[in-house]
Amino acid sequence: AHYRTLLTAIVTGAKTLDDFFASNRYYARMGGVDLHEFNAMELYFCFLVEWKLHVPGGEAMQLFLGK
């Protein structure tokens, strides 16, 4: 389901930007996903984006503006 992809992207983004974040157990429970499944989704997502979890501001703006 799409919400699982969104959940994984939001959590991974939050963990990338924040110094303090909740455990995967918490995120899985709040998202209604099994912990092991959530861990696998997070790992798969990281590989999918080739571990490029931080996008420089200028590049993000170009992507946003479609340039």
Side-chain angles (χ1 to χ4, degrees):
H2 291 84
Y3 80 91
R4 292 172 186 240
T5 304
L6 182 60
L7 171 68
T8 305
I10 290 172
V11 169
T12 305
K15 290 169 76 174
T16 300
L17 296 174
D18 294 337
D19 291 333
F20 301 101
F21 47 84
S23 68
N24 276 10
R25 182 179 311 280
Y26 173 81
Y27 292 125
R29 190 171 359 135
M30 292 300 109
V33 179
D34 176 72
L35 174 60
H36 297 291
E37 182 180 3
F38 181 77
N39 288 339
M41 291 186 318
E42 184 179 33
L43 182 60
Y44 179 75
F45 181 82
C46 289
F47 276 106
L48 191 63
V49 297
E50 298 178 347
W51 295 88
K52 296 176 184 170
L53 301 173
H54 176 49
V55 179
E59 185 178 339
M61 186 57 74
Q62 287 176 343
L63 291 170
F64 179 74
L65 296 175
K67 295 182 178 181

